């Protein structure tokens, strides 16, 4: 029995409209079936589909079979013994479809296919956030009307997604002539027994049918994600530190599982696994043994405090010995992102959020520089890091009560385990005044006083005239910087 999921489990307040949409566009009817283009579109702002890629499955409503496919393939052919004069691609009642890789032969490819099942998030790379494949469906018979597949299931790459029914929607529309012309790519086609009807608006092909109810259209389903179904335990954790307190707040113990009692072991098997079935064993993560046992740790360090700015350093560490994280991303919720933030080594974007006063910032790697978070080695973990310079809001900025620390952190769309607030590094006693940034004017006044005193002392003691002239010149330049 399929597990029932509450609606609130699928709602992500940091990405309230995020989903993966699956669309079947029927664009041609055949003697006993139809040809459809299937689109898988990722509308998540930061959650992407990583290796080994998406898989999609459904159950046929009637006796359909897959005659042929391009851009993807069914994992099992099934029993096709009833079809003696042809070799269907798959006769399974509940086929499972997988994307082809980039090395697929040209005759098996379609547009925007064959990325090995990888989908980028919509915000980071919208051009790679969707995938197409075409499927030719048969065995409907001359009098069949064609019904939408049932029980749509999406693995991306593991469990966590729940898909709604494939429902009739308006036909897909595409743009031509630089977006100035809208074209209904797959026209609805109402059949009558009186004569031939249009079945493809692009190619203007005609075919005669006997069933008045047969039509070409579009079916669409929305698949929502629940981290509670995808992972029984967190997949990442957060540690904290500041310049004003030597204490480092580590990830909470057992954030992603507890390590073995043998503390001398360096390699541990992670308790986190998103995949099921035959992929379970080969997908098990071997991680660096730690008290938190997470494959990924995000460290937030409050580095310095200036008059109009403050600086943090973010380091993402990979404790996994078997896995690189390609096209990784980190989401941080913090009120400081309401002001301008400049990361030095990451790309960034501020995301819209619903129901939160704190802003949400998305960070990801720079192409050909640090877009891949490398796996851990024998003596060190893989890591990527950046400094972030943030402008201050004078009305809200403070170092007190952990304000400078993040409220929530996500890695690759998964919520990371945060330390408890009572473990945060706090300001030492009576430090509120001593940690205030010193105005630059104060330093200038000190320099001026020192130079004035030094030049007078030189004159009084009769030191070298050239040295005295130099000090007086320097003194004059500081007092009159615009004299040049």
């Amino acid at each position: 029995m399929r597990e029932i999921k509450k609606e609130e489990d699928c709602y992500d307040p940091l990405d309230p409209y995020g989903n993966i949409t699956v669309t079947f566009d029927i664009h041609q009817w055949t003697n006993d079936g139809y040809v459809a283009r299937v689109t898988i579109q990722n509308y998540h702002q930061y959650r992407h589909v990583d290796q080994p890629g998406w898989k999609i499955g459904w159950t046929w409503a009637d006796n359909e079979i897959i005659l042929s496919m391009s851009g993807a393939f069914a994992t099992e052919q099934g029993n096709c013994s009833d079809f003696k004069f042809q070799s269907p691609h798959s006769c399974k009642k509940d086929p499972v479809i997988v994307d082809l890789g980039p090395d697929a032969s040209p005759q098996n490819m379609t547009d925007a296919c064959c990325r090995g099942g990888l989908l980028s998030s919509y915000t980071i790379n919208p051009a790679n956030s969707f995938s197409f494949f075409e499927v030719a469906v048969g065995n409907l018979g001359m009098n069949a009307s064609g019904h939408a597949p049932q029980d749509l299931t999406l693995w991306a790459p593991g469990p966590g997604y729940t898909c709604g029914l494939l429902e009739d929607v308006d036909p897909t529309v595409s743009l031509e002539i630089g977006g100035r012309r809208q074209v209904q790519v797959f026209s609805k086609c109402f059949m009558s027994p009186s004569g031939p009807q249009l079945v493809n608006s692009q190619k203007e092909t005609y075919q005669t049918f006997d069933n008045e109810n047969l039509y070409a259209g579009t079916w669409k389903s929305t698949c929502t994600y629940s981290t509670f179904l995808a992972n029984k335990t967190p997949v990442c954790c957060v540690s904290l530190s500041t310049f004003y307190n030597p204490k480092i707040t580590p990830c909470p113990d057992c954030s992603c599982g507890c390590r073995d009692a043998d503390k001398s072991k360096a390699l541990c098997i992670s308790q986190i696994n998103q995949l099921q079935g035959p992929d379970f064993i080969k997908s098990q993560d071997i991680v660096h043994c730690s008290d938190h046992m997470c494959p990924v740790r995000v460290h937030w360090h409050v580095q310095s405090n200036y008059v109009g700015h403050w600086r943090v350093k973010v380091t993402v560490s990979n404790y996994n010995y078997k896995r690189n994280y390609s096209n990784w991303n980190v989401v941080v919720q913090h009120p400081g992102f309401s002001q301008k933030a400049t990361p030095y080594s990451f790309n960034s974007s501020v995301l819209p959020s619903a129901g939160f006063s704190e802003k949400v910032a998305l960070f990801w790697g720079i192409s050909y520089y640090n877009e891949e978070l490398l796996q851990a080695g024998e003596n060190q973990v893989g890591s990527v890091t950046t400094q972030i310079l943030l402008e201050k809001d004078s009305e809200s900025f403070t170092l007190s009560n952990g304000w400078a620390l993040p409220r929530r952190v996500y890695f690759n769309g998964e919520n990371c385990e945060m330390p408890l607030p009572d473990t945060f590094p706090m300001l030492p006693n009576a430090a509120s005044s001593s940690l205030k940034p010193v105005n630059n004017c104060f330093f200038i006044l000190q320099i001026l006083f020192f130079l004035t005193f030094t030049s007078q002392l030189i004159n009084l003691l009769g030191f070298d005239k050239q040295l005295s002239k130099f000090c007086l010149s320097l003194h004059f330049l500081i007092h009159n910087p615009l004299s040049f």
Side-chain angles (χ1 to χ4, degrees):
M1 179 179 294
R2 178 174 293 179
E3 183 176 355
I4 302 299
K5 178 169 58 174
K6 296 180 181 179
E7 182 179 354
E8 56 267 25
D9 290 348
C10 300
Y11 179 75
D12 182 355
L14 302 189
D15 189 9
Y17 305 109
N19 67 80
I20 292 181
T21 299
V22 180
T23 306
F24 282 70
D25 288 307
I26 302 176
H27 61 90
Q28 184 178 356
W29 288 95
T30 61
N31 290 332
D32 66 341
Y34 56 85
V35 178
R37 166 172 281 193
V38 181
T39 305
I40 303 174
Q41 171 70 65
N42 182 15
Y43 287 112
H44 286 290
Q45 294 188 98
Y46 51 80
R47 182 172 287 110
H48 65 281
V49 179
D50 204 355
Q51 295 177 350
W54 57 261
K55 293 193 298 184
I56 189 170
W58 59 78
T59 301
W60 292 117
D62 297 309
N63 297 316
E64 296 94 331
I65 61 170
I66 299 176
L67 296 175
S68 63
M69 293 190 69
S70 58
F73 65 94
T75 57
E76 296 182 60
Q77 185 183 29
N79 183 8
C80 295
S81 59
D82 292 339
F83 304 92
K84 298 180 180 180
F85 301 104
Q86 56 182 335
S87 179
H89 182 80
S90 176
C91 300
K92 290 277 293 182
K93 181 72 172 178
D94 52 349
V96 175
I97 311 301
V98 178
D99 193 17
L100 289 171
D103 57 348
S105 58
Q107 61 268 25
N108 292 331
M109 299 178 72
T110 62
D111 294 336
C113 83
C114 312
R115 301 191 181 107
L118 305 183
L119 297 177
S120 299
S121 67
Y122 193 77
T123 299
I124 295 176
N125 190 349
N128 290 333
S129 65
F130 60 90
S131 183
F132 292 146
F133 65 86
E134 289 194 354
V135 55
V137 179
N139 201 39
L140 281 173
M142 292 298 296
N143 295 321
S145 58
H147 296 96
Q150 301 172 350
D151 299 329
L152 189 71
T153 305
L154 176 68
W155 299 267
Y161 282 91
T162 299
C163 301
L165 297 175
L166 281 163
E167 298 178 339
D168 288 312
V169 296
D170 293 334
T172 301
V173 174
S174 65
L175 300 177
E176 291 183 351
I177 317 178
R180 293 181 294 170
R181 170 177 162 81
Q182 293 186 353
V183 179
Q184 185 171 293
V185 181
F186 308 124
S187 295
K188 286 192 174 182
C189 179
F190 294 94
M191 303 301 166
S192 68
S194 58
Q197 301 290 326
L198 177 66
V199 296
N200 191 314
S201 61
Q202 289 181 316
K203 298 181 180 179
E204 294 190 0
T205 57
Y206 292 81
Q207 191 166 348
T208 301
F209 295 88
D210 295 328
N211 193 325
E212 294 183 358
N213 297 321
L214 194 61
Y215 66 93
T218 297
W219 299 320
K220 184 173 289 188
S221 172
T222 299
C223 301
T224 52
Y225 182 81
S226 168
T227 187
F228 300 103
L229 292 183
N231 306 291
K232 301 304 181 185
T233 57
V235 300
C236 55
C237 64
V238 178
S239 57
L240 307 167
S241 62
T242 65
F243 71 91
Y244 52 79
N245 192 325
K247 174 186 175 183
I248 297 177
T249 301
C251 289
D253 289 350
C254 299
S255 293
C256 306
C258 295
R259 67 183 301 173
D260 296 337
D262 184 2
K263 301 291 185 178
S264 63
K265 292 178 60 177
L267 304 181
C268 294
I269 297 178
S270 174
Q271 299 178 17
I272 302 165
N273 202 300
Q274 292 186 331
L275 303 183
Q276 299 174 341
D279 293 329
F280 178 83
I281 299 297
K282 67 180 182 181
S283 66
Q284 283 186 316
D285 289 335
I286 298 178
V287 300
H288 179 77
C289 293
S290 62
D291 290 333
H292 56 76
M293 282 298 293
C294 292
V296 174
R297 185 194 70 177
V298 180
H299 184 75
W300 178 278
H301 174 64
V302 182
Q303 196 169 31
S304 49
N305 180 25
Y306 307 113
V307 175
H309 298 78
W310 59 297
R311 188 191 302 267
V312 300
K313 184 178 181 180
V314 177
T315 303
V316 186
S317 301
N318 183 6
Y319 286 76
N320 198 322
Y321 284 102
K322 291 180 59 179
R323 182 180 180 186
N324 298 332
Y325 291 91
S326 301
N327 301 314
W328 58 268
N329 66 72
V330 170
V331 173
V332 181
Q333 181 185 356
H334 193 285
F337 293 125
S338 61
Q339 305 299 310
K340 181 181 178 181
T342 305
Y344 293 112
S345 303
F346 293 168
N347 291 309
S348 68
S349 177
V350 177
L351 303 178
S353 59
F356 287 101
S357 58
E358 296 92 353
K359 291 294 184 179
V360 178
L362 169 65
F363 301 95
W364 68 95
I366 299 172
S367 296
Y368 306 108
Y369 175 57
N370 58 2
E371 62 184 342
E372 187 165 15
L373 176 57
L374 297 178
Q375 64 191 27
E378 183 177 352
N379 298 317
Q380 64 180 5
V381 297
S383 66
V384 291
T385 186
T386 188
Q387 294 184 20
I388 306 172
L389 186 66
L390 299 101
E391 291 185 358
K392 280 186 178 179
D393 181 355
S394 58
E395 296 183 358
S396 62
F397 179 84
T398 177
L399 294 176
S400 302
N401 300 321
W403 183 93
L405 304 174
R407 308 300 188 262
R408 190 180 305 189
V409 177
Y410 282 40
F411 176 79
N412 278 358
E414 300 298 335
N415 195 4
C416 299
E417 189 75 4
M418 290 285 296
L420 294 175
D422 60 358
T423 65
F424 285 3
M426 305 301 287
L427 283 171
N429 293 333
S432 58
S433 59
S434 62
L435 286 173
K436 288 182 179 178
V438 182
N439 196 302
N440 292 335
C441 295
F442 177 74
F443 290 107
I444 294 174
L445 290 174
Q446 285 185 321
I447 293 173
L448 291 176
F449 175 79
F450 173 76
L451 290 174
T452 302
F453 175 79
T454 303
S455 75
Q456 292 177 354
L457 183 64
I458 289 174
N459 289 330
L460 180 65
L461 297 178
F463 286 158
D464 184 80
K465 293 183 178 181
Q466 295 298 326
L467 180 59
S468 177
K469 288 182 179 180
F470 171 76
C471 291
L472 290 173
S473 298
L474 187 59
H475 177 267
F476 174 78
L477 289 177
I478 292 176
H479 275 286
N480 304 276
L482 299 179
S483 60
F484 282 102

